[in-house]
């Protein structure tokens, strides 16, 4: 839980920071592109009326032009004449003509001739058009370099932000982690401490019930003590199991042993056959594939199968059916325990796996709301999942998916 919280905080912080950084980078690139475009358009507006190449002085503030350009006049019959230029070879008449034809074919007052990396401006005159062209290859090159630089810096920034977010998340979650650890330790210690007096109480209740001359009232009270103590003993055992699960990290794959899940499922079914008979339930035929092997803890996986069967027995009405199947799907083992009964509402299908959660009054009298939480913990410790669903045929299906042993 703490690890998931830490990762969520890290990812959320990194995502928000990356979005903010992306917005800043995008604003910078747009500003740069706008500035470069504005500079080239300024050159076009300044030179379009020139009839000869001006002698621009770099000392005159705001008049120096460093971008290559040329201006032409176009007559109605298609004649083209270059009137001024800078940094262009005036003898390359074919290039000028091709650029003019491409610009005129667009039918716009201004635009770009992409093949020549030229931006143009056109003005109508009494005897045709006057057109100015400016070279934008430097503009495009500058933008391309800026994009590459900003992208590299952005990726580096995201990596740094991720590392900082991970450190900050670890620091921020530490008090919560310590508090949760203390709560877990308290539950474990309290459960251990309760077991001794509870054992004494149950032993005394058994001794009282063995007394021959015990009155009916005292016998009834002693039986109540034994029943209540037994329920409390089950609760303490489940709390201890959860406490151990919380304190235990997921077992590394290298340390796991190969477990025959088929045998565990068959053993659980044999154990519950008398329980099903006494409860007036029927066990429907289901496929138990032989030799389905997973890696993990045999005792924990057996406990998982027993919890699912016990849950099915509790919430199946008398005369209802329970179906158990175990199959392989790809590289996964799929254990399904289905029971007839009241459908689980969709909004409840995740909540029923919470600790001490009972969805309705019918469930509140059956168990402590820990069994399914323990089962999901076991499944997750083994790299698997446990989910619930309801079918149109009136079955509630609990499906556990575990990775097969290599």
């Amino acid at each position: 839980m703490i690890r998931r919280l830490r990762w969520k905080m890290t990812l959320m912080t990194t995502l928000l920071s990356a979005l903010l950084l992306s917005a800043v980078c995008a604003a910078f690139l747009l500003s740069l592109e706008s500035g470069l475009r504005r500079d080239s358009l300024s050159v076009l507006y300044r030179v379009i009326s020139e009839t000869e190449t001006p002698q621009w002085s770099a000392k005159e503030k705001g008049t120096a032009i460093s971008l290559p350009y040329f201006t032409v006049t176009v007559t109605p019959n298609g004649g083209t004449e270059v009137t001024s230029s800078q940094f262009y070879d005036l003898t390359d008449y074919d290039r000028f003509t091709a650029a003019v034809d491409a610009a005129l074919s667009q039918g716009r007052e201004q635009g770009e001739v992409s093949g020549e990396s030229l931006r143009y401006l056109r003005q109508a005159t009494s005897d045709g058009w006057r057109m100015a062209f400016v070279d934008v290859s430097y503009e495009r090159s500058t933008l391309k370099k800026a994009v590459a630089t900003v992208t590299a810096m952005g990726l580096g920034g995201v990596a740094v932000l991720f590392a900082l977010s991970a450190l900050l998340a670890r620091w921020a979650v530490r008090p919560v982690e310590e508090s949760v650890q203390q709560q877990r330790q308290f539950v474990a210690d309290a459960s251990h401490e309760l077991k001794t007096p509870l054992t004494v109480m149950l032993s005394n209740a058994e001794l009282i019930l063995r007394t021959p001359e015990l009155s009916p009232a005292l016998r009834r009270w002693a039986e109540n003590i034994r029943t209540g103590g037994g329920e409390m003993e089950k609760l303490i055992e489940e709390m201890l199991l959860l406490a151990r699960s919380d304190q235990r990290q997921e077992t590394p794959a290298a340390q796991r042993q190969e477990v025959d899940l088929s045998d565990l499922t068959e053993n659980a079914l044999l154990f519950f056959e008398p329980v099903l008979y006494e409860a007036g339930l029927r066990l429907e035929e289901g496929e138990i594939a032989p030799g389905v092997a997973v890696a993990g803890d045999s005792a924990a996986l057996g406990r998982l199968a027993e919890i699912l069967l016990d849950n099915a027995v509790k919430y199946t009405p008398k005369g209802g059916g329970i179906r158990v199947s175990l199959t392989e799907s790809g590289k996964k083992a799929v254990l399904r325990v289905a029971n007839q009964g009241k459908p689980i509402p969709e909004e409840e299908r995740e909540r029923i796996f919470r600790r001490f959660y009972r969805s309705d009054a019918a469930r509140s009298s059956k168990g402590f709301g820990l069994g399914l939480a323990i089962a999901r913990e076991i499944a997750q410790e083994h790299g698997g999942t446990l989910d619930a669903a309801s079918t149109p045929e009136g079955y509630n299906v609990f499906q556990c998916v575990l990775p097969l042993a290599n």
Side-chain angles (χ1 to χ4, degrees):
M1 180 182 71
I2 296 298
R3 184 185 301 175
R4 289 196 295 270
L5 176 61
R6 199 157 48 218
W7 274 110
K8 285 182 180 179
M9 290 184 64
T10 300
L11 293 176
M12 288 179 63
T13 304
T14 304
L15 179 60
L16 291 175
S17 301
L19 290 174
L20 179 60
L21 184 61
S22 299
V24 171
C25 292
F28 167 74
L29 292 174
L30 288 173
S31 176
L32 177 63
E33 192 271 342
S34 177
L36 292 171
R37 176 184 289 271
R38 188 168 53 249
D39 289 344
S40 62
L41 287 175
S42 175
V43 171
L44 289 174
Y45 280 109
R46 289 166 61 187
V47 303
I48 194 169
S49 60
E50 299 297 331
T51 56
E52 60 181 11
T53 303
Q55 299 299 317
W56 301 105
S57 172
K59 296 181 180 179
E60 297 179 32
K61 186 177 180 181
T63 60
I65 298 176
S66 59
L67 294 176
Y69 75 91
F70 65 91
T71 62
V72 299
T73 58
V74 183
T75 61
N77 60 5
T80 303
E81 179 184 359
V82 179
T83 56
S84 65
S85 71
Q86 180 172 260
F87 307 124
Y88 272 100
D89 181 9
L90 295 179
T91 61
D92 194 359
Y93 184 77
D94 291 339
R95 183 182 181 188
F96 295 142
T97 303
V100 170
D101 291 341
L104 289 173
S105 66
Q106 295 181 13
R108 293 181 295 182
E109 295 298 318
Q110 68 178 42
E112 293 185 10
V113 182
S114 58
E116 294 291 336
S117 296
L118 292 172
R119 180 172 289 123
Y120 69 87
L121 180 66
R122 186 181 72 176
Q123 287 182 351
T125 62
S126 58
D127 56 350
W129 295 278
R130 191 185 303 277
M131 303 183 70
F133 293 81
V134 66
D135 189 290
V136 293
S137 57
Y138 171 76
E139 175 183 327
R140 294 177 177 175
S141 175
T142 302
L143 279 175
K144 186 176 180 180
K145 291 179 181 178
V147 169
T149 302
V150 167
T151 301
M153 293 179 63
L155 292 175
V158 169
V160 172
L161 286 170
F162 179 81
L164 290 175
S165 298
L167 292 175
L168 288 174
R170 183 181 293 274
W171 172 77
V173 172
R174 187 172 298 163
V176 179
E177 186 175 6
E178 292 175 355
S179 176
V180 171
Q181 183 61 34
Q182 290 172 0
Q183 292 178 15
R184 291 172 177 172
Q185 190 62 46
F186 169 76
V187 170
D189 293 343
S191 299
H192 278 293
E193 293 299 325
L194 286 171
K195 287 191 71 174
T196 300
L198 184 60
T199 302
V200 173
M201 182 179 70
L202 289 173
S203 299
N204 289 333
E206 288 290 342
L207 290 173
I208 293 172
L209 288 171
R210 292 176 186 175
T211 304
E213 57 275 0
L214 194 65
S215 67
L218 289 177
R219 182 173 297 278
R220 185 172 64 253
W221 294 338
E223 288 176 349
N224 290 341
I225 292 173
R226 183 174 62 179
T227 301
E231 293 295 319
M232 186 178 294
E233 187 176 35
K234 291 179 183 178
L235 174 60
I236 290 174
E237 288 295 334
E238 291 183 348
M239 291 174 66
L240 275 172
L241 185 60
L242 278 176
R244 296 190 194 104
S245 176
D246 287 336
Q247 293 173 349
R248 183 174 63 245
Q249 300 294 327
E250 183 175 339
T251 307
Q255 299 179 10
R256 295 178 180 175
Q257 296 181 347
E258 186 172 304
V259 177
D260 193 325
L261 191 59
S262 301
D263 285 347
L264 290 179
T265 305
E266 293 283 3
N267 291 337
L269 284 171
L270 287 173
F271 178 79
F272 271 87
E273 275 187 1
V275 179
L276 292 169
Y277 178 78
E278 291 180 5
L281 306 177
R282 67 179 186 278
L283 181 63
E284 299 177 353
E285 185 177 353
E287 178 188 2
I288 306 293
V292 178
V294 298
D297 182 353
S298 176
L301 292 172
R303 175 67 172 157
L304 184 152
E306 290 174 2
I307 289 172
L308 295 181
L309 281 168
D310 182 63
N311 182 78
V313 170
K314 287 179 180 177
Y315 301 111
T316 303
K318 190 170 184 178
I322 294 175
R323 183 186 306 151
V324 180
S325 66
L326 176 65
T327 57
E328 293 185 7
S329 178
K331 295 184 178 181
K332 303 288 185 179
V334 182
L335 172 63
R336 293 187 182 92
V337 178
N339 66 283
Q340 290 180 320
K342 181 181 177 182
I344 303 173
E346 187 173 353
E347 63 273 11
E348 300 284 343
R349 292 174 192 171
E350 274 300 312
R351 297 175 189 170
I352 59 176
F353 292 101
R354 296 178 185 174
R355 300 177 183 186
F356 299 103
Y357 182 81
R358 270 85 59 90
S359 61
D360 53 34
R363 289 177 175 265
S364 63
S365 61
K366 301 177 180 180
F368 305 101
L370 287 175
L372 292 178
I374 294 172
R376 175 169 276 190
E377 290 280 351
I378 294 172
Q380 291 176 346
E381 286 174 9
H382 289 77
T385 60
L386 176 60
D387 300 292
S390 296
T391 68
E393 294 79 15
Y395 284 84
N396 292 319
V397 182
F398 289 83
Q399 176 174 287
C400 179
V401 180
L402 299 170
L404 292 172
N406 294 330

